[in-house]
Every structure is written in structure tokens, then in C-alpha cells.
Amino acid sequence: MIEQLRAKAKEILEKGDASVIIGYGRGSREDVATPVFITDSARIDEMVFNPHCYNNLMTFVTRDDHKRLGTPAVVAKECDMKAAIVLAQEDQVKEDGMLLLSVSCEEMGRADAACRFNGVMTIPQAEEWLKQNYLPAELTPEKLARVEEIEKMPAQERWAFWSKEFERCIRCYACRQACPMCYCRQCIVEKNQPQWLSTSAHPAGNMAWNIVRAFHLAGRCVDCGECERACPMDIPLVSLNRAIQKEVKSAFDYVSGYDHAGKPVMATFRKDDEEDFIK
Amino acid sequence: METDFEPKIIAFVCNWCTYAGADLAGTSRLKYAGNVRVIKVPCTGRIDFMFLVRAFEQGADAVLVSGCHPGDCHYNEGNYYARRRWTIFRKLLHFLGIEEDRLHFAWVSAAEGQKWADLVNEVTARVRELGPFTGYRQLMEKSRLTQSAEVQPLERK
Ligand code: SF4
Ligand code: SF4
Ligand code: FES
């Protein structure tokens, strides 16, 4: 499949449909891959794709230093495609502002897993493809198993559980850096006029930070899991994200990453939204 | 449970409806629990969820958010956006282990002085039953410890 992927990428560059390929290259070890930015088709053989290509490359398309490289064609797994769709939905990229080199991997991390190249897609095409091929894999019982386990704990036990998890946070913000949806030029945690949350890595500051990170992604997180994978302290951020995804789905029947032309779910309303919790 | 516990409740209310409603309760000389500290904001749409986090950090045992009834918002739509936000935010806090009775939401119009008084009484009674929010207090106390000279080494699981 890599030959197909390289051939398409080369063609795109040579035809001028995109001016940079954002893809994966060989990492420093067998089991890691590293992002590559290719503007010259002679370098196309640097591209690889395998079950170790974890990074969500959509983190790059909103950064100024990469924007300067011009229209990108980005190698994208399913979650990365969803990220592109949310970026278009939130006006961070134009609907026709990038091409997607759609790829799939049977099981990330398993060295012998089969990988596929699905073709070149625009953002609207990717949306159609995902609706056909990936929507049924969202919020499955397996994906929600851990969330439900945590929900079953009594409130105080849950509080103790999360306090303990967040206590380990060292405020490195790797979770934010790895996240394709965290594209703010200045994050609220770095604003000090006024300072909303403490930047010290103490239990209260960490609680506030983790609430902010999770809630700023409400209805936007595409469940790529990169935050948790980046976290050096192994804090179960995916469970937190999925708990919110579950609520967004049940309250507003919405899964993020499938509506590039619609309004973001938390930036709109319906007059008849449920309000049984309001007195 | 400590018997002399007086819940500290922070209420974020909009200027146009609930604040006026609370004012009416006052001018009508209604008697109700004195446990609520009112913070007036222009509209419920202006209430960032960080306000709530900050209230808990500062020692609130519960938070009450109230504004105009749907359709009555002075800015037409602020409360509709707010409602969506709270729908999810309260679930997040619940998932983190904050008891549901520490977060209350209501619509109180400028004419509903009595509703405001009853609401405050009800919320106060529920929080009194729940007891002080020791969970957050412990977090704050622990933080002061780590901030002091004796930095606690954090252990990896
Ligand atoms: S919050 Fe985590 S799982 Fe969600 S989009 Fe960001 S990196 Fe991916
Ligand atoms: S990556 Fe982990 S340790 Fe670093 S700031 Fe995020 S939650 Fe905290
Ligand atoms: S002005 Fe009262 S809720 Fe908007």
C-alpha cells in the first residue's frame, strides 16, 4: 500500500494540487514514526505508513510555521479525517483548503496489522466516507466500558479516583500539544490577565486544568486518543473525553467529526433542548 | 455530621431576570435562608464554567446558576447557549465525583420573588444535608502543602 500512497502523493505535488505533503517518515526506532513535511517530490520515498504511525497530523495544519508551506495534503487515519472535518467546521481550514490521503490500519500498535490506502479525498468526501465506514465504530460498548466502570463508583470514590489521577499531572501540556483540536494561539492556561487557573502542578491547579482541557473539547474531541498517549503520567484522559462524548451523544444526538458544514454542537442550541435539570 | 454547618452557596444570576427576582423577594420582605452570596452577571450566557470552578476553589459548598426563562433572555439567546453548556458541564462534574446537589440551575423571572426565596431555601436544605464540600477543600489544603517549602514527591503509579 505504501507504493500507492507515495505514487498519489507524488502526483499531487507534481500537479500542484498541494504544495506540501504532511505524512509519516521513519522514526528513530522500528516502533515509532515521525512526521515528515515534503515539498519536493524527489523526497517522496521518505514516506512510510505502518501500525506505529500514531500522531494525529492535523495538529500541524493550524500552526503558523506549517501554514507557510501552503496547501497541504495530509496522510490521515479515520480520527485524523474527523479532525480535519472539525477544523473545517470551526473555520480553521477551508473546505477545499486541504487534501486527505486517507489511510486505515487494522489495529494500531500491532506490528503485523494490515494497512490500507483508501484514496485521495477532499474534506466533504472524507465526511461521506466516514459516515459509511466509521460511524458504527463510534462509542461502542467496548469503547465505553471504562467510562461505565468509573460511573458505577459512588461519587466520593470517583472524586478520590480522579483527584489521585490528576495529582500526578506535571502540567507539561503534552496533552494539549498533541491535540488537533487545541489550536488556540494562546491557551487560557497561559493567560494571566486575569489568571483563571493556577499554573502550579498542585492538586487544585491540576483539577482546574483537567476540567478546562476536557470541557474545552466538549463536542469537539474526535477520540483519537493522542492526548492520553502523549501524557507522560498515564492519566486516563480518553475516559474523561469519552464520558463527555457519551453525554453529547445522548443529549444532542451528536458525534463530532461528521458535519463540516454544520454548527459546532456547543456553539448552537435548539429551543426545545432538554432541560429537566433546571428548576 | 457537624450540626452548626452553614452551607456557603454562590449564586450566579443574570441582571435582568433573576437578580430582579431576588430584589423583589427582598423588597417584598420575604424571609429566606441567608446562605446565598449573589454574583450578578449580564446574562447566563456570560457565565463561563470557570466561574463555577473558581467558586468551588474559594470554598463554595454549592453553586446556583439562574437566569431568565427560555424566550425571556434580554439578549434573546444567551440562556439557550448556557443551557447547552450546563447540560454537559454538570455531567462532567458528576463524572469527576462532585455530587449533583452541589450544582443547581433555575429560571427565575423578575416577577418570581417567591420562587427565588423557595429555591434558595430548597438548595440550602439539600446542601445542609450533603454537608461541607470537603473534597475540594482537601484539594486546596493539599495544594498549600505542595506550594510550601516541603514539596511532596509525586509518586508514579
Ligand atoms: S482531546 Fe485527545 S482524543 Fe480528543 S481530539 Fe484531542 S488529542 Fe484527540
Ligand atoms: S500530558 Fe498529562 S501530565 Fe502533561 S499536562 Fe496533560 S494531563 Fe498533565
Ligand atoms: S439576560 Fe437573563 S439569561 Fe440572558
Side-chain angles (χ1 to χ4, degrees):
Chain A
M1 72 63 83
I2 189 62
E3 284 315 322
Q4 285 171 296
L5 180 63
R6 285 178 185 155
K8 267 290 168 211
K10 189 160 191 261
E11 187 186 315
I12 287 172
L13 273 186
E14 284 170 355
K15 277 191 9 211
D17 293 341
S19 44
V20 56
I21 305 289
I22 305 182
Y24 302 94
R26 254 173 290 277
S28 49
R29 294 195 317 250
E30 270 301 297
D31 59 348
V32 291
T34 196
V36 288
F37 302 82
I38 300 176
T39 49
D40 175 359
S41 62
R43 278 177 55 206
I44 219 72
D45 287 345
E46 287 176 25
M47 288 178 78
V48 301
F49 189 74
N50 58 47
H52 307 294
C53 295
Y54 291 102
N55 308 46
N56 191 330
L57 300 176
M58 293 304 154
T59 51
F60 297 112
V61 304
T62 50
R63 309 255 146 106
D64 287 335
D65 37 0
H66 301 104
K67 270 189 190 165
R68 262 188 271 121
L69 299 173
T71 305
V74 190
V75 178
K77 307 179 293 296
E78 288 87 347
C79 302
D80 318 353
M81 290 160 74
K82 287 193 286 172
I85 289 163
V86 177
L87 289 177
Q89 183 181 25
E90 296 180 352
D91 288 336
Q92 299 304 309
V93 295
K94 293 215 170 63
E95 186 187 302
D96 55 0
M98 86 165 107
L99 287 174
L100 300 166
L101 291 154
S102 168
V103 289
S104 300
C105 173
E106 190 186 21
E107 189 186 329
M108 292 301 286
R110 207 187 79 212
D112 63 347
C115 295
R116 257 198 341 265
F117 173 54
N118 307 312
V120 183
M121 300 178 193
T122 61
I123 287 173
Q125 285 165 345
E127 187 174 307
E128 281 316 305
W129 188 91
L130 285 168
K131 280 183 186 154
Q132 302 290 325
N133 296 284
Y134 199 69
L135 196 50
E138 299 284 0
L139 299 173
T140 53
E142 302 82 74
K143 284 186 178 171
L144 290 174
R146 184 80 182 109
V147 171
E148 268 147 25
E149 246 171 60
I150 298 171
E151 277 170 350
K152 281 204 197 93
M153 300 176 183
Q156 292 197 341
E157 202 179 303
R158 268 201 312 275
W159 179 257
F161 170 80
W162 285 112
S163 307
K164 200 153 179 290
E165 291 292 335
F166 295 158
E167 231 166 75
R168 294 200 310 279
C169 174
I170 53 170
R171 307 299 282 281
C172 62
Y173 307 127
C175 46
R176 177 191 73 189
Q177 294 313 109
C179 178
M181 272 36 265
C182 275
Y183 52 69
C184 292
R185 281 207 170 78
Q186 197 187 13
C187 176
I188 186 170
V189 77
E190 270 129 22
K191 287 190 179 141
N192 53 14
Q193 297 274 350
Q195 181 148 24
W196 277 107
L197 46 155
S198 167
T199 49
S200 304
H202 56 48
N206 292 353
M207 175 63 71
W209 160 247
N210 277 283
I211 291 175
V212 167
R213 192 208 60 82
F215 197 65
H216 279 178
L217 285 148
R220 311 174 57 238
C221 167
V222 293
D223 200 28
C224 66
E226 278 304 278
C227 45
E228 181 172 314
R229 205 177 64 84
C231 177
M233 303 312 282
D234 300 324
I235 298 171
L237 301 173
V238 166
S239 300
L240 205 55
N241 299 338
R242 285 187 181 158
I244 296 179
Q245 286 163 31
K246 185 181 156 199
E247 299 303 338
V248 168
K249 173 84 171 74
S250 88
F252 310 122
D253 192 25
Y254 180 92
V255 181
S256 73
Y258 294 88
D259 191 9
H260 77 281
K263 281 247 169 78
V265 69
M266 299 306 283
T268 184
F269 62 84
R270 282 174 50 133
K271 288 197 171 162
D272 61 350
D273 277 340
E274 261 316 315
E275 57 165 43
D276 51 6
F277 66 96
I278 304 177
K279 286 189 256 301
Chain B
M1 190 177 302
E2 41 184 309
T3 44
D4 55 353
F5 165 59
E6 280 302 331
K8 196 195 279 180
I9 299 160
I10 305 296
F12 294 99
V13 305
C14 85
N15 179 37
W16 303 99
C17 290
T18 304
Y19 191 80
D23 211 20
L24 180 65
T27 49
S28 316
R29 302 192 167 270
L30 299 179
K31 286 224 182 313
Y32 61 95
N35 298 65
V36 164
R37 276 77 161 164
V38 173
I39 296 177
K40 179 169 78 167
V41 291
C43 172
T44 51
R46 172 63 183 91
I47 305 170
D48 191 293
F49 67 94
M50 281 311 291
F51 292 12
L52 278 63
V53 174
R54 275 306 261 273
F56 288 129
E57 285 184 350
Q58 311 277 314
D61 297 301
V63 172
L64 167 61
V65 173
S66 180
C68 313
H69 286 266
D72 289 351
C73 174
H74 191 69
Y75 309 95
N76 299 334
E77 302 178 333
N79 52 3
Y80 290 124
Y81 288 106
R83 183 170 64 185
R84 236 177 212 213
R85 201 176 304 149
W86 304 131
T87 301
I88 304 304
F89 190 65
R90 61 192 280 277
K91 292 289 187 179
L92 169 61
L93 292 199
H94 176 73
F95 188 67
L96 293 177
I98 297 183
E99 296 97 337
E100 282 184 32
D101 266 347
R102 300 210 185 272
L103 265 180
H104 297 265
F105 302 89
W107 306 131
V108 174
S109 80
E112 292 174 324
Q114 188 64 52
K115 183 175 178 184
W116 172 254
D118 294 344
L119 175 72
V120 170
N121 283 336
E122 188 198 329
V123 170
T124 307
R126 294 236 221 143
V127 182
R128 200 184 293 281
E129 211 167 291
L130 209 55
F133 195 174
T134 45
Y136 227 105
R137 247 161 250 177
Q138 281 164 1
L139 218 58
M140 297 306 282
E141 276 158 24
K142 266 198 191 160
S143 305
R144 263 178 237 124
L145 230 192
T146 13
Q147 276 176 311
S148 78
E150 328 155 34
V151 177
Q152 304 275 312
L154 291 171
E155 260 182 23
R156 231 190 135 150
K157 249 201 321 200

